[in-house]
Amino acid sequence: MEKSKIIAATRSNEELLIAAKSKAEIIFMLAPNIADIKEQAELVHKAGKKFFIHLDLAEGIGKDAYGIRFAKEQGIDGIISTRTNIIKMARKEGVFTVQRFFIVDTHSIDTTIESAKASKADMIEIMPATVYKVVKKLKSELEMPIVLGGLLETEAEVLEALSGGATAISTGKRELWL
């Protein structure tokens, strides 16, 4: 995230190919499956980028320490999960972690703080990205990078989220990957 503040969020091999050619330094695969991740990780690494999979949504990969170990052996650089227990297991395995949270009300802000402190994730992702207004509160309580994702439509919204305190944004909107 040093050069590019945009993380490419992909769901298909077609999108992954486009993201690999983009300026994004990190690629999130949101619909991974056991048959493709090794090849996908190699493709992303050849492009000089980091490859993260959303473990909660992975097909054919166990949501346990063995599944995390398997994914690591396939060459992933990190995992994304909403589950505190998966984040803790991945950290034990030495895998970079992104814990994803959905902010829907003020109570979910407190829950996010408690869960992030418990999991000790390397980074958190807050969805939807338009909640950048709560980033300042989260940053005052947590000492980790914050990625905002979802519902960003324009470059102006990306800039607004970044200027609001987000470390980076993740988006499936190809026009914003540039």
Side-chain angles (χ1 to χ4, degrees), residues 42-97:
E42 289 171 358
L43 171 88
V44 170
H45 291 151
K46 274 186 185 176
K49 301 171 188 312
K50 300 288 185 189
F51 184 61
F52 288 59
I53 64 166
H54 197 316
L55 195 63
D56 300 356
L57 306 176
E59 294 178 355
I61 302 172
K63 301 348 176 224
D64 55 23
Y66 295 108
I68 293 164
R69 227 175 279 147
F70 173 81
K72 183 179 177 182
E73 290 167 1
Q74 302 310 297
I76 62 138
D77 296 297
I79 63 115
I80 306 155
S81 179
T82 59
R83 301 175 185 163
T84 298
N85 65 322
I86 290 177
I87 297 295
K88 286 180 176 181
M89 283 187 278
R91 288 191 45 81
K92 270 189 182 170
E93 294 295 325
V95 175
F96 192 93
T97 57

Coordinates of all heavy atoms in Angstrom, one line a residue, residues 42-97:
E42 N 0.4 -17.5 -8.2 CA 1.6 -17.4 -9.1 C 1.4 -16.3 -10.1 O 2.4 -15.5 -10.3 CB 1.8 -18.8 -9.8 CG 2.3 -19.9 -8.9 CD 2.4 -21.2 -9.6 OE1 1.9 -21.4 -10.8 OE2 2.8 -22.2 -8.9
L43 N 0.3 -16.1 -10.7 CA 0.0 -15.1 -11.6 C 0.2 -13.7 -10.9 O 0.8 -12.8 -11.5 CB -1.5 -15.2 -12.2 CG -1.9 -14.0 -13.0 CD1 -1.6 -14.2 -14.4 CD2 -3.4 -13.8 -12.8
V44 N -0.4 -13.6 -9.8 CA -0.4 -12.3 -9.0 C 1.1 -12.0 -8.6 O 1.6 -10.8 -8.8 CB -1.3 -12.3 -7.8 CG1 -1.1 -11.1 -6.9 CG2 -2.7 -12.4 -8.3
H45 N 1.8 -13.0 -8.2 CA 3.2 -12.8 -7.8 C 4.1 -12.4 -9.0 O 5.0 -11.6 -8.9 CB 3.8 -14.0 -7.0 CG 3.1 -14.2 -5.7 ND1 3.0 -15.4 -5.1 CD2 2.6 -13.3 -4.8 CE1 2.4 -15.3 -3.9 NE2 2.1 -14.0 -3.8
K46 N 3.8 -13.0 -10.1 CA 4.6 -12.7 -11.4 C 4.4 -11.2 -11.7 O 5.3 -10.6 -12.3 CB 4.2 -13.5 -12.5 CG 4.9 -14.9 -12.6 CD 4.5 -15.6 -13.9 CE 5.1 -17.0 -13.9 NZ 4.7 -17.8 -15.0
A47 N 3.2 -10.7 -11.4 CA 2.9 -9.3 -11.6 C 3.5 -8.4 -10.5 O 3.3 -7.1 -10.6 CB 1.4 -9.1 -11.7
G48 N 4.2 -9.0 -9.5 CA 4.8 -8.2 -8.5 C 3.8 -7.7 -7.4 O 4.0 -6.6 -6.8
K49 N 2.7 -8.4 -7.2 CA 1.6 -8.0 -6.3 C 1.4 -9.0 -5.2 O 1.9 -10.1 -5.3 CB 0.3 -7.8 -7.1 CG 0.5 -6.7 -8.2 CD -0.7 -6.7 -9.1 CE -0.5 -5.8 -10.3 NZ 0.0 -4.5 -10.1
K50 N 0.7 -8.6 -4.2 CA 0.3 -9.5 -3.1 C -1.1 -10.1 -3.3 O -2.0 -9.4 -3.8 CB 0.4 -8.8 -1.7 CG 1.7 -8.2 -1.4 CD 2.7 -9.2 -1.0 CE 4.0 -8.6 -0.6 NZ 5.0 -9.6 -0.4
F51 N -1.3 -11.4 -2.9 CA -2.5 -12.1 -3.2 C -3.1 -12.5 -1.8 O -2.5 -13.3 -1.1 CB -2.2 -13.3 -4.0 CG -3.4 -14.1 -4.5 CD1 -4.4 -13.5 -5.2 CD2 -3.5 -15.4 -4.1 CE1 -5.5 -14.2 -5.6 CE2 -4.6 -16.2 -4.5 CZ -5.6 -15.6 -5.3
F52 N -4.4 -12.1 -1.6 CA -5.1 -12.4 -0.4 C -6.4 -13.1 -0.8 O -7.0 -12.7 -1.8 CB -5.6 -11.1 0.3 CG -4.4 -10.4 1.0 CD1 -3.3 -9.9 0.3 CD2 -4.5 -10.2 2.4 CE1 -2.3 -9.2 1.0 CE2 -3.5 -9.5 3.1 CZ -2.4 -9.0 2.4
I53 N -6.8 -14.1 -0.1 CA -8.1 -14.8 -0.3 C -9.0 -14.6 0.8 O -8.6 -14.5 2.0 CB -7.9 -16.3 -0.6 CG1 -7.4 -17.1 0.6 CG2 -7.0 -16.5 -1.9 CD1 -7.5 -18.6 0.5
H54 N -10.3 -14.5 0.5 CA -11.4 -14.4 1.5 C -11.7 -15.9 1.9 O -12.4 -16.6 1.2 CB -12.6 -13.7 0.9 CG -13.5 -13.2 2.0 ND1 -13.9 -14.0 3.1 CD2 -14.2 -12.0 2.1 CE1 -14.7 -13.3 3.9 NE2 -14.9 -12.1 3.3
L55 N -11.1 -16.3 3.1 CA -11.2 -17.6 3.5 C -12.7 -18.1 3.8 O -13.1 -19.2 3.5 CB -10.3 -17.9 4.7 CG -10.1 -19.4 5.0 CD1 -9.4 -20.1 3.9 CD2 -9.3 -19.5 6.3
D56 N -13.5 -17.1 4.3 CA -14.9 -17.5 4.6 C -15.6 -17.9 3.4 O -16.6 -18.7 3.5 CB -15.6 -16.3 5.2 CG -15.0 -15.7 6.5 OD1 -14.0 -16.3 7.0 OD2 -15.5 -14.7 7.0
L57 N -15.3 -17.4 2.2 CA -16.0 -17.6 1.0 C -15.3 -18.6 0.1 O -15.7 -18.9 -1.0 CB -16.2 -16.3 0.2 CG -16.8 -15.2 1.0 CD1 -16.9 -13.9 0.2 CD2 -18.2 -15.6 1.4
A58 N -14.2 -19.2 0.6 CA -13.4 -20.1 -0.2 C -14.1 -21.5 -0.4 O -14.6 -22.1 0.6 CB -12.0 -20.4 0.4
E59 N -14.2 -22.0 -1.6 CA -14.8 -23.3 -1.9 C -13.8 -24.4 -1.8 O -12.7 -24.3 -2.4 CB -15.4 -23.3 -3.2 CG -16.6 -22.3 -3.4 CD -17.2 -22.3 -4.8 OE1 -16.7 -22.9 -5.7 OE2 -18.2 -21.6 -4.9
G60 N -14.1 -25.4 -1.0 CA -13.2 -26.6 -0.9 C -12.0 -26.4 0.1 O -11.2 -27.3 0.2
I61 N -11.9 -25.3 0.8 CA -10.9 -25.1 1.7 C -11.5 -25.0 3.1 O -12.4 -24.2 3.3 CB -10.1 -23.8 1.4 CG1 -9.5 -23.9 0.0 CG2 -9.0 -23.6 2.5 CD1 -8.8 -22.6 -0.4
G62 N -11.0 -25.8 4.0 CA -11.5 -25.9 5.4 C -11.3 -24.5 6.1 O -10.3 -23.8 5.9
K63 N -12.2 -24.2 6.9 CA -12.2 -23.0 7.7 C -11.5 -23.3 9.1 O -12.1 -23.1 10.1 CB -13.6 -22.3 7.9 CG -14.4 -21.9 6.7 CD -13.8 -21.9 5.4 CE -14.8 -21.6 4.3 NZ -14.7 -22.4 3.1
D64 N -10.3 -23.9 9.0 CA -9.6 -24.3 10.2 C -8.1 -24.1 10.0 O -7.7 -23.7 8.9 CB -10.0 -25.7 10.6 CG -9.8 -26.7 9.5 OD1 -8.9 -26.4 8.6 OD2 -10.4 -27.8 9.5
A65 N -7.3 -24.5 10.9 CA -5.9 -24.4 10.8 C -5.3 -25.1 9.6 O -4.4 -24.7 9.0 CB -5.2 -24.9 12.1
Y66 N -5.9 -26.3 9.3 CA -5.4 -27.1 8.2 C -5.7 -26.3 6.9 O -4.9 -26.3 5.9 CB -6.0 -28.5 8.1 CG -5.6 -29.3 9.3 CD1 -6.5 -29.6 10.4 CD2 -4.3 -29.8 9.4 CE1 -6.1 -30.3 11.5 CE2 -3.9 -30.6 10.5 CZ -4.8 -30.8 11.5 OH -4.4 -31.6 12.6
G67 N -6.9 -25.7 6.8 CA -7.2 -25.0 5.6 C -6.3 -23.8 5.4 O -5.9 -23.4 4.3
I68 N -6.0 -23.1 6.5 CA -5.1 -22.0 6.5 C -3.7 -22.4 6.0 O -3.1 -21.8 5.2 CB -5.1 -21.3 7.8 CG1 -6.4 -20.6 8.1 CG2 -4.0 -20.2 7.9 CD1 -6.7 -20.2 9.6
R69 N -3.2 -23.5 6.6 CA -1.9 -24.0 6.2 C -1.9 -24.4 4.8 O -0.9 -24.1 4.1 CB -1.6 -25.3 7.1 CG -0.2 -25.2 7.7 CD 0.0 -26.4 8.6 NE -0.5 -26.1 9.9 CZ -1.0 -27.0 10.7 NH1 -1.0 -28.2 10.4 NH2 -1.5 -26.6 11.9
F70 N -3.0 -25.0 4.3 CA -3.0 -25.4 2.9 C -3.0 -24.2 2.0 O -2.2 -24.1 1.0 CB -4.3 -26.2 2.6 CG -4.6 -26.4 1.1 CD1 -3.9 -27.5 0.5 CD2 -5.4 -25.6 0.4 CE1 -4.1 -27.7 -0.9 CE2 -5.6 -25.8 -1.0 CZ -4.9 -26.9 -1.6
A71 N -3.8 -23.1 2.3 CA -3.8 -21.9 1.5 C -2.4 -21.3 1.5 O -1.9 -20.8 0.5 CB -4.8 -21.0 2.0
K72 N -1.7 -21.3 2.6 CA -0.4 -20.7 2.7 C 0.6 -21.5 1.8 O 1.4 -20.9 1.1 CB 0.1 -20.8 4.2 CG 1.4 -20.1 4.4 CD 1.8 -20.2 5.9 CE 3.2 -19.6 6.2 NZ 3.6 -19.7 7.6
E73 N 0.5 -22.8 1.8 CA 1.3 -23.6 0.9 C 1.1 -23.4 -0.5 O 1.9 -23.6 -1.4 CB 1.1 -25.1 1.3 CG 1.7 -25.5 2.6 CD 1.2 -26.9 3.1 OE1 0.4 -27.6 2.3 OE2 1.6 -27.3 4.2
Q74 N -0.1 -22.9 -0.9 CA -0.5 -22.6 -2.3 C 0.1 -21.2 -2.7 O 0.1 -20.9 -3.9 CB -2.0 -22.6 -2.5 CG -2.7 -23.9 -2.1 CD -2.0 -25.1 -2.7 OE1 -1.9 -25.2 -4.0 NE2 -1.4 -26.0 -1.9
G75 N 0.7 -20.4 -1.7 CA 1.3 -19.2 -2.1 C 0.6 -17.9 -1.8 O 1.0 -16.9 -2.2
I76 N -0.5 -18.0 -1.0 CA -1.2 -16.8 -0.7 C -0.4 -15.9 0.2 O 0.5 -16.4 0.9 CB -2.6 -17.1 0.0 CG1 -2.4 -17.8 1.3 CG2 -3.5 -17.8 -1.0 CD1 -3.3 -17.4 2.4
D77 N -0.6 -14.6 0.2 CA 0.1 -13.7 1.1 C -0.7 -13.4 2.3 O -0.1 -12.9 3.3 CB 0.5 -12.4 0.3 CG 1.4 -12.7 -0.8 OD1 2.6 -13.2 -0.6 OD2 1.0 -12.5 -2.0
G78 N -2.0 -13.6 2.3 CA -2.8 -13.2 3.4 C -4.2 -13.7 3.2 O -4.6 -14.2 2.1
I79 N -5.0 -13.7 4.3 CA -6.4 -14.1 4.3 C -7.3 -12.9 4.8 O -6.8 -12.1 5.5 CB -6.7 -15.4 5.1 CG1 -6.4 -15.2 6.6 CG2 -5.9 -16.5 4.5 CD1 -7.6 -15.3 7.4
I80 N -8.5 -13.0 4.3 CA -9.5 -12.1 4.8 C -10.6 -12.9 5.4 O -10.9 -14.0 4.9 CB -10.2 -11.3 3.6 CG1 -9.1 -10.6 2.7 CG2 -11.3 -10.4 4.0 CD1 -9.6 -10.4 1.3
S81 N -11.1 -12.5 6.6 CA -12.2 -13.2 7.2 C -13.0 -12.3 8.1 O -12.4 -11.3 8.6 CB -11.6 -14.4 8.1 OG -12.6 -15.1 8.8
T82 N -14.2 -12.6 8.4 CA -15.0 -11.8 9.3 C -14.9 -12.5 10.7 O -15.4 -11.9 11.7 CB -16.5 -11.8 8.9 OG1 -17.0 -13.2 8.8 CG2 -16.7 -11.1 7.6
R83 N -14.3 -13.7 10.8 CA -14.4 -14.5 12.0 C -13.1 -14.3 12.8 O -12.0 -14.6 12.3 CB -14.6 -15.9 11.6 CG -15.8 -16.2 10.9 CD -16.0 -17.6 10.4 NE -17.2 -17.7 9.6 CZ -17.3 -18.7 8.8 NH1 -16.5 -19.7 8.7 NH2 -18.4 -18.8 8.0
T84 N -13.3 -13.9 14.1 CA -12.1 -13.7 15.0 C -11.3 -15.0 15.1 O -10.1 -14.9 15.1 CB -12.7 -13.2 16.3 OG1 -13.3 -11.9 16.1 CG2 -11.5 -13.0 17.3
N85 N -12.0 -16.1 15.3 CA -11.2 -17.4 15.5 C -10.3 -17.7 14.3 O -9.2 -18.2 14.4 CB -12.1 -18.5 15.8 CG -13.1 -18.9 14.7 OD1 -13.6 -18.1 14.0 ND2 -13.3 -20.2 14.6
I86 N -10.8 -17.4 13.1 CA -10.0 -17.7 11.9 C -8.8 -16.8 11.8 O -7.7 -17.2 11.5 CB -10.9 -17.6 10.6 CG1 -11.8 -18.8 10.6 CG2 -10.0 -17.6 9.3 CD1 -12.8 -18.8 9.4
I87 N -9.0 -15.5 12.2 CA -7.9 -14.5 12.2 C -6.9 -15.0 13.2 O -5.7 -15.0 12.9 CB -8.4 -13.1 12.5 CG1 -9.4 -12.6 11.5 CG2 -7.3 -12.2 12.8 CD1 -8.8 -12.4 10.1
K88 N -7.3 -15.4 14.4 CA -6.3 -15.9 15.4 C -5.5 -17.1 14.9 O -4.3 -17.2 15.1 CB -7.0 -16.3 16.7 CG -7.5 -15.1 17.5 CD -8.2 -15.5 18.7 CE -8.6 -14.4 19.6 NZ -9.3 -14.8 20.8
M89 N -6.2 -18.1 14.2 CA -5.5 -19.3 13.7 C -4.5 -18.9 12.6 O -3.4 -19.4 12.6 CB -6.5 -20.3 13.1 CG -7.3 -21.1 14.2 SD -8.3 -22.4 13.4 CE -9.8 -21.4 13.0
A90 N -4.9 -18.0 11.7 CA -4.1 -17.5 10.6 C -2.8 -16.8 11.2 O -1.7 -17.1 10.7 CB -4.8 -16.6 9.7
R91 N -3.0 -16.0 12.2 CA -1.8 -15.3 12.8 C -0.9 -16.4 13.4 O 0.3 -16.2 13.3 CB -2.3 -14.3 13.8 CG -2.9 -13.1 13.1 CD -3.2 -11.9 14.0 NE -2.1 -11.6 14.9 CZ -1.1 -10.8 14.6 NH1 -0.9 -10.4 13.4 NH2 -0.2 -10.5 15.5
K92 N -1.4 -17.4 14.0 CA -0.6 -18.5 14.6 C 0.2 -19.2 13.5 O 1.4 -19.6 13.7 CB -1.4 -19.5 15.3 CG -1.6 -19.3 16.7 CD -2.3 -20.5 17.4 CE -2.5 -20.2 18.8 NZ -3.3 -21.2 19.5
E93 N -0.3 -19.2 12.3 CA 0.3 -19.9 11.1 C 1.3 -18.9 10.4 O 1.9 -19.3 9.4 CB -0.7 -20.4 10.1 CG -1.6 -21.6 10.7 CD -0.7 -22.8 11.0 OE1 0.2 -23.1 10.2 OE2 -1.1 -23.5 11.9
G94 N 1.3 -17.7 10.9 CA 2.2 -16.7 10.3 C 1.7 -16.1 9.0 O 2.4 -15.6 8.2
V95 N 0.4 -16.1 8.9 CA -0.3 -15.5 7.7 C -0.8 -14.1 8.0 O -1.4 -13.9 9.0 CB -1.5 -16.4 7.2 CG1 -2.2 -15.8 6.1 CG2 -1.0 -17.8 6.8
F96 N -0.6 -13.2 7.1 CA -1.1 -11.8 7.2 C -2.6 -11.9 7.2 O -3.2 -12.6 6.4 CB -0.5 -10.9 6.1 CG -0.8 -9.5 6.3 CD1 0.2 -8.7 6.9 CD2 -1.9 -8.9 6.0 CE1 0.0 -7.3 7.2 CE2 -2.2 -7.5 6.2 CZ -1.2 -6.8 6.8
T97 N -3.2 -11.1 8.1 CA -4.7 -11.2 8.3 C -5.4 -9.8 8.1 O -4.9 -8.8 8.5 CB -5.0 -11.7 9.6 OG1 -4.4 -10.9 10.6 CG2 -4.5 -13.2 9.8

